[in-house]
Amino acid sequence: MAPHQEGEEVSNKQVLLRDYVSGSLQETDMVISTAGTTHLKAPQGSKAILVKNIYLACEPYLKALMTKGVTYSVEPGSAIAGIGVAKVLDSDHPDFKVGDLVWGMTRWEEYSLINTPQVMFKIHNTDVPLSYYTGILGMPGITAYAGFIEICSPKKGEYVFVSSASGAVGQIVGQFAKLMGCYVVGSVGSDDKVRLYNNSLIVDLLKSKLGFDEAFNYKKEHDLDAALKRYFKDGIDIYFENVGGKMLDAVLLNMRQNGRIAVCGMISQYNLEQHEGVHNLINLITKRIRMEGFIVSDYYHLYSKFLDLTLQYIKEGKMVYVEDIIEGLESGPSALIRLFAGHIVGKAVIRVSHE
Protein backbone atom coordinates (compact mmCIF):
# COMPACT_ATOMS: atom_id res chain seq x y z
CA MET A 1 0.00 0.00 0.00
CA ALA A 2 1.39 3.40 -0.99
CA PRO A 3 2.12 5.82 1.87
CA HIS A 4 -0.39 8.61 2.49
CA GLN A 5 0.47 12.09 1.26
CA GLU A 6 0.40 15.11 3.60
CA GLY A 7 -2.99 16.82 3.42
CA GLU A 8 -4.65 13.85 1.73
CA GLU A 9 -8.22 13.06 2.75
CA VAL A 10 -8.52 9.47 3.98
CA SER A 11 -11.19 7.28 5.53
CA ASN A 12 -11.11 7.22 9.33
CA LYS A 13 -12.59 4.22 11.12
CA GLN A 14 -14.03 5.23 14.50
CA VAL A 15 -15.75 3.82 17.59
CA LEU A 16 -18.61 6.22 18.30
CA LEU A 17 -20.74 6.63 21.42
CA ARG A 18 -24.35 5.87 20.45
CA ASP A 19 -25.87 7.65 23.46
CA TYR A 20 -25.02 8.53 27.05
CA VAL A 21 -24.75 5.38 29.15
CA SER A 22 -26.92 4.80 32.21
CA GLY A 23 -26.49 1.62 34.22
CA SER A 24 -24.50 -1.31 32.86
CA LEU A 25 -22.35 -0.67 29.79
CA GLN A 26 -23.42 -2.68 26.74
CA GLU A 27 -21.57 -3.34 23.51
CA THR A 28 -24.51 -1.76 21.66
CA ASP A 29 -23.73 1.56 23.38
CA MET A 30 -20.84 1.82 20.91
CA VAL A 31 -20.95 1.92 17.11
CA ILE A 32 -18.21 1.10 14.59
CA SER A 33 -18.24 3.74 11.85
CA THR A 34 -16.34 3.69 8.57
CA ALA A 35 -18.15 6.71 7.13
CA GLY A 36 -15.82 9.37 8.52
CA THR A 37 -12.86 10.95 6.76
CA THR A 38 -9.99 13.16 7.89
CA HIS A 39 -7.41 15.40 6.27
CA LEU A 40 -3.85 14.38 7.09
CA LYS A 41 -2.98 18.00 7.87
CA ALA A 42 -3.04 20.04 11.08
CA PRO A 43 -4.83 23.36 10.39
CA GLN A 44 -2.44 26.29 10.06
CA GLY A 45 -2.38 28.46 13.18
CA SER A 46 -4.17 25.82 15.30
CA LYS A 47 -1.14 24.66 17.32
CA ALA A 48 -2.64 21.17 16.85
CA ILE A 49 -1.04 17.89 15.80
CA LEU A 50 -2.47 15.21 13.52
CA VAL A 51 -1.62 11.68 14.70
CA LYS A 52 -2.02 8.11 13.58
CA ASN A 53 -3.10 5.99 16.54
CA ILE A 54 -1.08 2.83 17.12
CA TYR A 55 -2.33 1.51 20.49
CA LEU A 56 -5.38 2.39 22.58
CA ALA A 57 -5.83 1.60 26.25
CA CYS A 58 -8.97 -0.29 27.28
CA GLU A 59 -9.72 1.06 30.78
CA PRO A 60 -12.62 1.07 33.29
CA TYR A 61 -12.62 4.89 33.45
CA LEU A 62 -13.93 4.98 29.85
CA LYS A 63 -17.37 4.17 31.26
CA ALA A 64 -17.32 7.47 33.17
CA LEU A 65 -16.51 9.40 29.98
CA MET A 66 -19.67 7.95 28.42
CA THR A 67 -21.90 9.27 31.23
CA LYS A 68 -23.85 12.52 30.89
CA GLY A 69 -22.69 15.40 33.07
CA VAL A 70 -19.26 13.98 33.87
CA THR A 71 -16.28 16.28 33.27
CA TYR A 72 -14.70 15.52 29.88
CA SER A 73 -17.63 13.28 28.92
CA VAL A 74 -17.92 12.33 25.24
CA GLU A 75 -20.96 13.58 23.36
CA PRO A 76 -23.16 11.01 21.58
CA GLY A 77 -22.09 10.60 17.97
CA SER A 78 -18.46 11.40 18.79
CA ALA A 79 -15.50 9.05 18.92
CA ILE A 80 -14.78 7.65 22.38
CA ALA A 81 -11.87 9.36 24.13
CA GLY A 82 -9.05 7.47 25.82
CA ILE A 83 -5.32 7.12 26.40
CA GLY A 84 -3.29 5.94 23.43
CA VAL A 85 0.10 5.76 21.75
CA ALA A 86 0.38 7.53 18.39
CA LYS A 87 2.74 8.81 15.71
CA VAL A 88 2.69 12.45 14.60
CA LEU A 89 1.83 12.75 10.90
CA ASP A 90 1.61 16.54 10.80
CA SER A 91 2.21 19.31 13.32
CA ASP A 92 1.38 22.98 13.75
CA HIS A 93 2.93 22.99 17.23
CA PRO A 94 6.57 24.02 17.72
CA ASP A 95 7.24 21.29 20.28
CA PHE A 96 6.22 18.41 18.01
CA LYS A 97 7.54 17.30 14.65
CA VAL A 98 6.51 14.74 12.06
CA GLY A 99 7.56 11.26 13.15
CA ASP A 100 7.44 11.94 16.90
CA LEU A 101 5.93 9.18 19.01
CA VAL A 102 3.59 10.38 21.76
CA TRP A 103 1.22 9.06 24.40
CA GLY A 104 -1.75 10.76 26.03
CA MET A 105 -5.46 11.44 25.53
CA THR A 106 -6.58 10.66 22.01
CA ARG A 107 -9.73 9.08 20.52
CA TRP A 108 -10.86 5.64 19.44
CA GLU A 109 -10.22 6.15 15.74
CA GLU A 110 -7.48 5.59 13.21
CA TYR A 111 -6.46 9.25 12.97
CA SER A 112 -6.94 12.01 15.54
CA LEU A 113 -6.49 15.76 15.54
CA ILE A 114 -5.08 16.69 18.95
CA ASN A 115 -5.98 20.31 19.67
CA THR A 116 -4.12 20.46 22.99
CA PRO A 117 -0.87 18.56 22.31
CA GLN A 118 0.82 20.20 25.30
CA VAL A 119 -0.86 17.49 27.43
CA MET A 120 0.78 14.74 25.36
CA PHE A 121 4.02 13.07 26.45
CA LYS A 122 6.80 12.48 23.94
CA ILE A 123 8.21 8.96 23.84
CA HIS A 124 12.00 8.98 23.81
CA ASN A 125 12.75 5.45 25.03
CA THR A 126 11.81 2.96 22.32
CA ASP A 127 13.89 0.01 23.52
CA VAL A 128 10.79 -1.28 25.32
CA PRO A 129 7.47 -2.23 23.65
CA LEU A 130 5.50 0.87 22.57
CA SER A 131 2.38 -0.68 24.08
CA TYR A 132 3.99 -0.22 27.51
CA TYR A 133 3.17 3.49 27.23
CA THR A 134 -0.52 2.64 27.57
CA GLY A 135 0.36 0.70 30.72
CA ILE A 136 3.40 0.36 32.94
CA LEU A 137 5.15 3.41 31.43
CA GLY A 138 1.97 5.41 30.88
CA MET A 139 -1.13 6.40 32.81
CA PRO A 140 -1.52 3.14 34.82
CA GLY A 141 2.15 3.25 35.79
CA ILE A 142 2.14 6.82 37.07
CA THR A 143 -1.19 6.03 38.77
CA ALA A 144 0.40 3.15 40.69
CA TYR A 145 3.41 5.29 41.55
CA ALA A 146 1.34 8.27 42.74
CA GLY A 147 -1.18 6.26 44.75
CA PHE A 148 1.20 3.82 46.37
CA ILE A 149 4.46 5.70 46.78
CA GLU A 150 3.38 9.35 47.00
CA ILE A 151 0.11 8.93 48.93
CA CYS A 152 0.76 5.81 51.01
CA SER A 153 4.48 6.37 51.77
CA PRO A 154 5.27 2.65 52.19
CA LYS A 155 7.86 1.42 54.65
CA LYS A 156 9.86 -1.81 54.54
CA GLY A 157 8.05 -4.66 56.28
CA GLU A 158 4.55 -3.21 55.98
CA TYR A 159 1.51 -5.30 55.02
CA VAL A 160 -0.05 -4.33 51.68
CA PHE A 161 -3.32 -5.41 50.07
CA VAL A 162 -4.11 -4.70 46.40
CA SER A 163 -7.55 -5.34 44.91
CA SER A 164 -7.96 -5.98 41.18
CA ALA A 165 -4.34 -7.05 41.44
CA SER A 166 -3.99 -8.54 37.96
CA GLY A 167 -5.26 -5.37 36.28
CA ALA A 168 -3.36 -2.59 34.55
CA VAL A 169 -2.61 -0.68 37.78
CA GLY A 170 -2.77 -3.40 40.43
CA GLN A 171 0.02 -5.53 38.98
CA ILE A 172 2.37 -2.51 39.08
CA VAL A 173 1.43 -1.59 42.66
CA GLY A 174 2.22 -5.12 43.81
CA GLN A 175 5.66 -5.04 42.22
CA PHE A 176 6.48 -1.61 43.66
CA ALA A 177 5.48 -2.94 47.08
CA LYS A 178 7.75 -5.99 46.81
CA LEU A 179 10.67 -3.85 45.62
CA MET A 180 10.22 -1.78 48.78
CA GLY A 181 10.32 -4.79 51.04
CA CYS A 182 6.62 -5.11 51.83
CA TYR A 183 4.45 -8.22 52.27
CA VAL A 184 1.85 -8.12 49.48
CA VAL A 185 -1.44 -9.92 48.90
CA GLY A 186 -3.62 -9.37 45.82
CA SER A 187 -7.22 -10.22 45.02
CA VAL A 188 -8.75 -10.95 41.63
CA GLY A 189 -12.40 -11.15 40.68
CA SER A 190 -13.10 -13.97 38.24
CA ASP A 191 -13.32 -17.73 38.08
CA ASP A 192 -9.83 -19.23 37.86
CA LYS A 193 -11.17 -22.02 35.63
CA VAL A 194 -12.07 -19.41 33.01
CA ARG A 195 -9.37 -16.85 33.47
CA LEU A 196 -6.09 -18.45 32.46
CA TYR A 197 -2.77 -16.99 31.32
CA ASN A 198 -0.31 -19.33 29.57
CA ASN A 199 -2.11 -22.25 31.28
CA SER A 200 -1.51 -20.76 34.75
CA LEU A 201 -4.24 -19.82 37.20
CA ILE A 202 -4.39 -16.07 37.79
CA VAL A 203 -3.57 -16.42 41.47
CA ASP A 204 -0.49 -18.43 40.47
CA LEU A 205 0.42 -15.77 37.90
CA LEU A 206 0.39 -13.09 40.59
CA LYS A 207 2.73 -15.10 42.78
CA SER A 208 5.06 -16.69 40.22
CA LYS A 209 5.39 -13.90 37.65
CA LEU A 210 4.54 -10.70 39.53
CA GLY A 211 6.02 -11.61 42.91
CA PHE A 212 2.96 -11.30 45.18
CA ASP A 213 3.30 -13.24 48.43
CA GLU A 214 -0.31 -14.47 48.26
CA ALA A 215 -3.37 -14.03 46.05
CA PHE A 216 -7.02 -15.08 46.11
CA ASN A 217 -10.23 -14.88 44.09
CA TYR A 218 -12.55 -12.75 46.23
CA LYS A 219 -15.66 -13.93 44.39
CA LYS A 220 -15.06 -17.43 45.77
CA GLU A 221 -14.96 -16.12 49.34
CA HIS A 222 -18.25 -16.23 51.28
CA ASP A 223 -16.82 -14.03 54.04
CA LEU A 224 -14.38 -11.32 52.92
CA ASP A 225 -13.58 -10.33 56.49
CA ALA A 226 -12.52 -13.90 57.27
CA ALA A 227 -10.53 -14.12 54.03
CA LEU A 228 -8.55 -10.99 54.85
CA LYS A 229 -7.90 -12.22 58.39
CA ARG A 230 -6.54 -15.44 56.87
CA TYR A 231 -3.94 -13.53 54.83
CA PHE A 232 -3.35 -10.63 57.24
CA LYS A 233 -3.29 -12.05 60.78
CA ASP A 234 -1.83 -8.78 62.07
CA GLY A 235 -3.88 -6.49 59.85
CA ILE A 236 -3.28 -4.30 56.78
CA ASP A 237 -1.04 -1.22 56.71
CA ILE A 238 -1.76 -0.13 53.13
CA TYR A 239 -4.75 -0.84 50.92
CA PHE A 240 -4.67 0.13 47.24
CA GLU A 241 -8.37 0.40 46.37
CA ASN A 242 -9.59 -0.56 42.90
CA VAL A 243 -12.88 -2.32 43.68
CA GLY A 244 -15.00 -0.60 46.36
CA GLY A 245 -18.27 -1.86 47.81
CA LYS A 246 -18.14 -4.95 50.02
CA MET A 247 -14.38 -5.25 49.59
CA LEU A 248 -13.76 -1.79 51.03
CA ASP A 249 -16.11 -2.55 53.94
CA ALA A 250 -14.16 -5.72 54.78
CA VAL A 251 -10.80 -3.98 54.46
CA LEU A 252 -11.83 -1.25 56.92
CA LEU A 253 -12.36 -3.95 59.55
CA ASN A 254 -8.85 -5.26 58.97
CA MET A 255 -6.78 -2.09 58.74
CA ARG A 256 -4.06 -1.49 61.32
CA GLN A 257 -3.72 1.69 63.32
CA ASN A 258 -2.37 4.58 61.20
CA GLY A 259 -3.11 2.64 58.03
CA ARG A 260 -3.36 4.31 54.62
CA ILE A 261 -5.86 3.71 51.82
CA ALA A 262 -5.27 5.10 48.32
CA VAL A 263 -8.60 5.19 46.45
CA CYS A 264 -7.77 4.70 42.77
CA GLY A 265 -11.00 3.18 41.47
CA MET A 266 -14.18 1.31 42.39
CA ILE A 267 -14.91 -0.95 39.45
CA SER A 268 -17.63 -2.87 41.33
CA GLN A 269 -19.73 0.33 41.39
CA TYR A 270 -19.34 1.69 37.86
CA ASN A 271 -22.23 -0.24 36.30
CA LEU A 272 -24.63 0.22 39.24
CA GLU A 273 -27.38 2.83 39.03
CA GLN A 274 -27.52 2.86 42.86
CA HIS A 275 -24.08 2.67 44.45
CA GLU A 276 -23.58 0.38 47.45
CA GLY A 277 -23.10 1.95 50.85
CA VAL A 278 -20.02 1.54 53.06
CA HIS A 279 -20.83 0.70 56.68
CA ASN A 280 -17.50 0.45 58.50
CA LEU A 281 -16.24 4.00 58.10
CA ILE A 282 -16.01 4.47 61.87
CA ASN A 283 -12.72 2.56 61.62
CA LEU A 284 -11.23 5.64 59.96
CA ILE A 285 -11.59 7.35 63.34
CA THR A 286 -10.77 4.59 65.80
CA LYS A 287 -7.74 3.37 63.84
CA ARG A 288 -6.56 6.82 62.67
CA ILE A 289 -6.72 5.64 59.05
CA ARG A 290 -6.02 8.08 56.23
CA MET A 291 -8.12 7.38 53.10
CA GLU A 292 -7.41 9.57 50.10
CA GLY A 293 -8.80 9.60 46.59
CA PHE A 294 -6.70 10.95 43.75
CA ILE A 295 -6.69 11.81 40.07
CA VAL A 296 -3.56 10.77 38.21
CA SER A 297 -3.27 14.00 36.22
CA ASP A 298 -2.52 15.82 39.49
CA TYR A 299 0.75 13.87 39.58
CA TYR A 300 1.85 14.19 35.95
CA HIS A 301 4.55 16.64 37.06
CA LEU A 302 6.30 13.61 38.59
CA TYR A 303 6.30 11.66 35.32
CA SER A 304 10.03 12.04 34.58
CA LYS A 305 10.94 10.87 38.08
CA PHE A 306 8.58 7.90 37.76
CA LEU A 307 9.79 7.04 34.24
CA ASP A 308 13.47 6.98 35.19
CA LEU A 309 12.77 4.68 38.15
CA THR A 310 10.47 2.29 36.29
CA LEU A 311 12.59 2.03 33.14
CA GLN A 312 15.54 1.08 35.31
CA TYR A 313 13.51 -1.61 37.06
CA ILE A 314 12.28 -3.01 33.72
CA LYS A 315 15.75 -3.08 32.16
CA GLU A 316 17.17 -4.78 35.27
CA GLY A 317 14.43 -7.42 35.09
CA LYS A 318 12.96 -6.33 38.42
CA MET A 319 9.55 -5.43 36.97
CA VAL A 320 7.48 -7.21 34.35
CA TYR A 321 4.14 -6.41 32.74
CA VAL A 322 1.28 -8.60 31.57
CA GLU A 323 -0.67 -7.37 28.56
CA ASP A 324 -3.62 -8.64 26.53
CA ILE A 325 -3.18 -7.24 23.00
CA ILE A 326 -6.48 -7.10 21.09
CA GLU A 327 -6.15 -6.73 17.34
CA GLY A 328 -8.20 -4.13 15.46
CA LEU A 329 -10.14 -1.02 16.40
CA GLU A 330 -13.39 -2.83 15.64
CA SER A 331 -12.62 -5.23 18.52
CA GLY A 332 -12.57 -2.38 21.04
CA PRO A 333 -16.21 -2.44 22.19
CA SER A 334 -16.24 -6.18 22.90
CA ALA A 335 -12.90 -5.89 24.68
CA LEU A 336 -14.26 -3.18 26.97
CA ILE A 337 -17.24 -5.36 27.87
CA ARG A 338 -14.95 -8.32 28.59
CA LEU A 339 -12.85 -6.05 30.80
CA PHE A 340 -15.84 -5.22 33.00
CA ALA A 341 -16.78 -8.91 33.09
CA GLY A 342 -13.32 -9.76 34.45
CA HIS A 343 -12.31 -11.81 31.42
CA ILE A 344 -9.12 -9.93 30.52
CA VAL A 345 -5.78 -10.63 32.14
CA GLY A 346 -3.43 -7.74 32.76
CA LYS A 347 -3.52 -4.58 30.67
CA ALA A 348 -6.02 -4.60 27.81
CA VAL A 349 -4.50 -2.89 24.75
CA ILE A 350 -6.12 -2.42 21.36
CA ARG A 351 -3.69 -2.44 18.42
CA VAL A 352 -5.10 0.00 15.89
CA SER A 353 -2.18 -0.06 13.47
CA HIS A 354 1.44 -1.04 13.09
CA GLU A 355 4.08 1.66 13.00
Side-chain angles (χ1 to χ4, degrees), residues 78-107:
S78 299
I80 294 168
I83 296 291
V85 170
K87 177 180 281 188
V88 177
L89 297 184
D90 192 51
S91 173
D92 192 60
H93 196 286
D95 294 340
F96 296 87
K97 65 181 187 298
V98 174
D100 280 349
L101 293 168
V102 296
W103 77 265
M105 187 62 74
T106 180
R107 291 189 175 271

Side-chain angles (χ1 to χ4, degrees), residues 66-340:
M66 302 180 198
T67 305
K68 188 174 184 179
V70 174
T71 304
Y72 308 120
S73 61
V74 177
E75 293 185 359
S78 299
I80 294 168
I83 296 291
V85 170
K87 177 180 281 188
V88 177
L89 297 184
D90 192 51
S91 173
D92 192 60
H93 196 286
D95 294 340
F96 296 87
K97 65 181 187 298
V98 174
D100 280 349
L101 293 168
V102 296
W103 77 265
M105 187 62 74
T106 180
R107 291 189 175 271
W108 281 33
E109 55 192 1
E110 292 178 295
Y111 304 94
S112 293
L113 183 68
I114 311 295
N115 291 309
T116 55
Q118 61 270 22
V119 300
M120 304 293 284
F121 293 87
K122 281 189 182 180
I123 297 173
H124 299 290
N125 296 281
T126 57
D127 53 349
V128 293
L130 272 183
S131 56
Y132 276 19
Y133 289 93
T134 68
I136 190 170
L137 297 178
M139 192 266 284
I142 185 67
T143 299
Y145 177 88
F148 183 65
I149 296 176
E150 295 293 324
I151 292 177
C152 293
S153 301
K155 302 176 185 65
K156 184 177 180 179
E158 288 194 309
Y159 299 92
V160 177
F161 177 48
V162 185
S163 57
S164 192
S166 65
V169 176
Q171 60 174 299
I172 306 171
V173 174
Q175 292 180 84
F176 275 144
K178 289 306 299 177
L179 285 166
M180 293 181 179
C182 299
Y183 168 83
V184 189
V185 176
S187 68
V188 297
S190 65
D191 192 332
D192 292 338
K193 293 179 181 178
V194 175
R195 195 171 172 190
L196 300 177
Y197 180 80
N198 290 347
N199 296 319
S200 296
L201 298 181
I202 294 303
V203 292
D204 293 334
L205 169 71
L206 289 176
K207 292 190 287 185
S208 63
K209 188 176 181 68
L210 300 177
F212 284 69
D213 293 288
E214 294 291 346
F216 66 96
N217 183 344
Y218 77 89
K219 290 187 177 178
K220 289 186 173 181
E221 300 289 344
H222 300 293
D223 186 338
L224 289 175
D225 178 32
L228 291 173
K229 283 182 168 57
R230 187 166 73 243
Y231 292 104
F232 295 98
K233 292 181 174 61
D234 297 316
I236 301 167
D237 291 298
I238 294 173
Y239 173 44
F240 198 94
E241 166 69 299
N242 288 308
V243 172
K246 294 180 177 63
M247 180 61 81
L248 176 58
D249 242 353
V251 167
L252 286 168
L253 293 174
N254 288 276
M255 291 296 293
R256 301 179 77 181
Q257 189 163 304
N258 298 313
R260 290 87 74 203
I261 300 174
V263 184
C264 174
M266 293 189 173
I267 194 170
S268 72
Q269 306 300 296
Y270 295 161
N271 280 335
L272 301 180
E273 291 191 31
Q274 184 69 40
H275 292 168
E276 295 175 332
V278 180
H279 305 282
N280 295 321
L281 290 174
I282 195 171
N283 288 274
L284 296 176
I285 303 169
T286 59
K287 297 179 180 179
R288 291 83 158 172
I289 299 166
R290 177 163 60 87
M291 184 164 72
E292 182 176 342
F294 68 101
I295 300 296
V296 65
S297 56
D298 294 338
Y299 293 86
Y300 276 169
H301 64 284
L302 299 176
Y303 182 69
S304 294
K305 179 181 176 182
F306 151 77
L307 185 63
D308 289 343
L309 175 69
T310 309
L311 273 172
Q312 179 181 340
Y313 282 150
I314 291 172
K315 291 174 181 179
E316 291 175 354
K318 294 179 179 178
M319 291 188 79
V320 297
Y321 201 58
V322 178
E323 297 178 303
D324 189 338
I325 304 290
I326 297 110
E327 295 290 341
L329 182 62
E330 64 280 357
S331 302
S334 63
L336 190 55
I337 299 304
R338 288 193 294 119
L339 178 71
F340 275 100

